[in-house]
C-alpha cells in the first residue's frame, strides 16, 4: 500500500470501497472473488488498499479489540504497535502525574500510544519519519475524534521538545534482519533518545523487555509489563514520572477485561534454598525480568529449590497473581523410561510439559513419552510435567495446576 492509495482510501468513494470489502467474505477463496468483483468497478490500487486494511484489521483485533474495526494500519506499524491494554495502562500513569500536560511523542508509529493518552485527556503531538505511517496515525486520531492530538512528519532526533511538558519515545527495535536487542542499535539509539528525554521534566521510553538492568540509567524506573502471562514490553520512566522503587513488574490480566497488578521491591532478601514442598510456583515473566522473584517467594512463604532457577516451592497454597501455582504430586530423577512408565500407570491422557534450567527438547520429550502425533490430546487424566534441575541433577516433577482465584 502506497501513500497515494491510502489517501484515496480516505475519500468518500474510498470509504465506500472499504465498507464493501469489509462486508464481503475475504477468507479463503472469498478473497480472490471479492478482489475480482471490486476491481471490475474500482481502481485496482484502491481495491488492494481496502483489502489490505480489512486483513490488517482482522489481525489487529488481538491487540485492539473492537476498536480495530475503525482503525488504520500498515503491516510494520501493526507489528510494532503497543497493544491497547498496555497503552491505556501507560496513559493512566501519564494522566495521574501530569494532569493537563502536553506530550511530545518521538516515533509515534500508527498512533496507539497517542490515542491512549488522548483518551486519557492529554494533548500531544506525534512525530513520525515515514510519511505513510504518519498519514495512518492521523487517520486514527481523526477516527476517534481526538482534536488535541496531532501528527507531523519529521526526524525524531531533530524534534525540539520546547513547549512540551513530557516526552514519550518508542525507538525502532526491528530491522529488515529482524528484532534488535542491543539498545545501542535502536533507531534512534537508546542513548540518543535518553539525552532528548532529559530535556523535559518527565519522560517515558519504550524498550525491549530483554533490556539489561545495567542499561537502565541512574534515577530511572524500569517497568516490565506482561499481558495474560506473556511479557510484552518494558518502559523506562524518567524525571517526575519515575517512582522511587527503581523497578516494577506490572501484570495485566487480559486485553478484554483488564485487571492490573503491580509488584515493586519490598526489601526481600535473596530467597533461601529449600527442599521441594507441596506446591510449585512459577513466577510471571515480568516478575522474573524485574528481578522480583524474592518478593513472590516472600508472599507465598517459600524458597527456591535451586538458587539459579526461578521456580519457587512452598508448603502453603497462597494464591497470587504474580505466579502460577502447581500442586506437586511426585518428584523423580529425570528418566524418560521411568517417566513413561509412571505416566502410563497414572493413565495420563493429556500432558503439558514445562521446563526451566534444562536443555531438554520439549517436543522430542513429548514424543519419547508417547504424547506425540495422534496421542496428543487424548482423553484421560491431565498432568503437568515440569523438567528442571537442582544443582547438577536433572529433576522431573509431576504436578497439577491449581486454578487461579
Amino acid at each position: 500500500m502506497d501513500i497515494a492509495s491510502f489517501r484515496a482510501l480516505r475519500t468518500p468513494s474510498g470509504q465506500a470501497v472499504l465498507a464493501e470489502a469489509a462486508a464481503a467474505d475475504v477468507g479463503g477463496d472469498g478473497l480472490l472473488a471479492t478482489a475480482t468483483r471490486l476491481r471490475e468497478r474500482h481502481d485496482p490500487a484502491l481495491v488492494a488498499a481496502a483489502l489490505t486494511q480489512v486483513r490488517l484489521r482482522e489481525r489487529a483485533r488481538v491487540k485492539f479489540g473492537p476498536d480495530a474495526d475503525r482503525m488504520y494500519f500498515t503491516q510494520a506499524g501493526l507489528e510494532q504497535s503497543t497493544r491497547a491494554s498496555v497503552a491505556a495502562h501507560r496513559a493512566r500513569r501519564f494522566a495521574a502525574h501530569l494532569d493537563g500536560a502536553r506530550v511530545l511523542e518521538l516515533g509515534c508509529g500508527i498512533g496507539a500510544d497517542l490515542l491512549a493518552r488522548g483518551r486519557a485527556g492529554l494533548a500531544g503531538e506525534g512525530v513520525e519519519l515515514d510519511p505513510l505511517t504518519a498519514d495512518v496515525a492521523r487517520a486514527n486520531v481523526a477516527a476517534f475524534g481526538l482534536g488535541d492530538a496531532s501528527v507531523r512528519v519529521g526526524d525524531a532526533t531533530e524534534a525540539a521538545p520546547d513547549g512540551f511538558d513530557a516526552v514519550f519515545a518508542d525507538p525502532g527495535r526491528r530491522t529488515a534482519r529482524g528484532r534488535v536487542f542491543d539498545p545501542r542499535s535502536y533507531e534512534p539509539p537508546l542513548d540518543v533518545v535518553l539525552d532528548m528525554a532529559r530535556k523535559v521534566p518527565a519522560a517515558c521510553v519504550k524498550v525491549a523487555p530483554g533490556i539489561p538492568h545495567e542499561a537502565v540509567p541512574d534515577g530511572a524506573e524500569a517497568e516490565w509489563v506482561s499481558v495474560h502471562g506473556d511479557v510484552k514490553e518494558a518502559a523506562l520512566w524518567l524525571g517526575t514520572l519515575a517512582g522511587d522503587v527503581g523497578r516494577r513488574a506490572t501484570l495485566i490480566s487480559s486485553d478484554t477485561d483488564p485487571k492490573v497488578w503491580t509488584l515493586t521491591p519490598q526489601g526481600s532478601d535473596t530467597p533461601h534454598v529449600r527442599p521441594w514442598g507441596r506446591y510449585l510456583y512459577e513466577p510471571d515473566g515480568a516478575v522474573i525480568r524485574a528481578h522480583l522473584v524474592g518478593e513472590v517467594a516472600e508472599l507465598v512463604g517459600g524458597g527456591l529449590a535451586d538458587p539459579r532457577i526461578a521456580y519457587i516451592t512452598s508448603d502453603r497454597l497462597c494464591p497470587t497473581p504474580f505466579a502460577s501455582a502447581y500442586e506437586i504430586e511426585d518428584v523423580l530423577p529425570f528418566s524418560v523410561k521411568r517417566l513413561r512408565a509412571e505416566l502410563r500407570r497414572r493413565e495420563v491422557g493429556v500432558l503439558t510439559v514445562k521446563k526451566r534450567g534444562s536443555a531438554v527438547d520439549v517436543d522430542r520429550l513429548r514424543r519419547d513419552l508417547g504424547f506425540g502425533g495422534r496421542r496428543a490430546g487424548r482423553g484421560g487424566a491431565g498432568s503437568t510435567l515440569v523438567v528442571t534441575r537442582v544443582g547438577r541433577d536433572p529433576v522431573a516433577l509431576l504436578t497439577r495446576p491449581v486454578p487461579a482465584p
Side-chain angles (χ1 to χ4, degrees):
M1 181 177 63
D2 57 38
I3 194 166
S5 298
F6 181 73
R7 288 176 177 174
L9 192 65
R10 296 279 293 135
T11 65
S13 58
Q15 290 293 289
V17 175
L18 179 57
E20 188 173 347
D25 177 15
V26 294
D29 294 338
L31 175 61
L32 179 59
T34 299
T36 301
R37 186 175 66 254
L38 289 173
R39 283 173 183 146
E40 292 173 351
R41 294 178 286 113
H42 305 286
D43 177 68
L46 179 60
V47 172
L51 292 174
T52 295
Q53 287 306 311
V54 170
R55 291 195 298 269
L56 291 175
R57 284 176 173 182
E58 179 68 28
R59 289 174 48 199
R61 291 191 188 109
V62 175
K63 280 188 171 184
F64 297 98
D67 284 346
D69 292 336
R70 53 176 170 153
M71 293 176 68
Y72 296 89
F73 303 95
T74 65
Q75 181 170 326
L78 173 58
E79 291 173 353
Q80 298 178 44
S81 62
T82 304
R83 62 198 311 118
S85 59
V86 178
H89 160 71
R90 190 154 46 223
R92 286 191 293 269
R93 182 163 177 172
F94 267 93
H97 291 81
L98 303 171
D99 184 32
R102 295 186 70 241
V103 181
L104 174 65
E105 180 167 345
L106 306 175
C108 69
I110 63 166
D113 281 280
L114 196 64
L115 294 178
R117 289 194 305 274
R119 287 170 140 181
L122 293 172
E125 179 177 82
V127 180
E128 172 55 46
L129 183 63
D130 178 59
L132 172 59
T133 305
D135 261 23
V136 170
R138 290 191 194 99
N140 287 329
V141 167
F144 290 90
L146 300 176
D148 289 335
S150 61
V151 178
R152 64 180 174 87
V153 177
D155 187 337
T157 62
E158 298 175 357
D162 302 341
F164 291 92
D165 305 292
V167 161
F168 175 72
D170 184 3
R173 296 176 300 283
R174 187 187 295 269
T175 68
R177 295 187 299 275
R179 292 183 183 275
V180 171
F181 298 98
D182 185 349
R184 294 169 298 183
S185 298
Y186 290 0
E187 185 56 46
L190 181 58
D191 287 346
V192 174
V193 174
L194 291 174
D195 285 342
M196 297 179 66
R198 293 187 182 100
K199 296 177 181 179
V200 291
C204 178
V205 180
K206 181 177 170 181
V207 294
I211 185 172
H213 279 241
E214 56 269 23
V216 177
D218 292 341
E221 177 193 308
E223 178 184 32
W224 284 264
V225 181
S226 73
V227 180
H228 197 51
D230 188 11
V231 182
K232 295 300 181 183
E233 63 179 66
L236 303 180
W237 298 90
L238 302 110
T240 57
L241 283 171
D244 57 2
V245 296
R247 62 191 191 279
R248 74 174 64 221
T250 296
L251 282 56
I252 300 175
S253 61
S254 70
D255 289 304
T256 53
D257 183 23
K259 298 180 178 63
V260 180
W261 299 277
T262 294
L263 184 66
T264 58
Q266 303 297 316
S268 301
D269 294 331
T270 302
H272 66 281
V273 177
R274 51 154 293 167
W276 294 108
R278 183 176 176 182
Y279 296 98
L280 167 73
Y281 292 88
E282 181 182 29
D284 184 274
V287 169
I288 296 173
R289 298 272 192 179
H291 294 180
L292 295 172
V293 173
E295 277 67 17
V296 176
E298 185 74 19
L299 287 174
V300 302
L304 302 179
D306 183 283
R308 292 166 296 277
I309 299 175
Y311 276 145
I312 299 167
T313 186
S314 174
D315 296 312
R316 294 163 28 199
L317 178 60
C318 302
T320 172
F322 301 110
S324 300
Y326 300 83
E327 185 172 6
I328 299 175
E329 297 180 330
D330 210 345
V331 181
L332 305 169
F334 180 80
S335 162
V336 172
K337 182 177 179 180
R338 184 171 178 179
L339 280 171
R340 186 166 52 235
E342 185 63 22
L343 293 169
R344 188 179 299 117
R345 185 187 71 80
R346 293 169 179 259
E347 298 182 343
V348 172
V350 180
L351 182 69
T352 300
V353 180
K354 305 177 76 67
K355 73 167 188 174
R356 183 163 292 161
S358 171
V360 68
D361 183 307
V362 170
D363 291 333
R364 180 176 178 179
L365 177 59
R366 285 181 57 83
R367 292 194 299 271
D368 291 345
L369 294 174
F371 287 85
R374 295 180 180 178
R375 175 70 187 276
R378 282 189 174 183
S383 183
T384 297
L385 170 64
V386 178
V387 181
T388 185
R389 61 176 171 81
V390 177
R392 296 183 177 180
D393 299 327
V395 176
L397 291 81
L398 292 174
T399 74
R400 62 178 183 86
V402 177

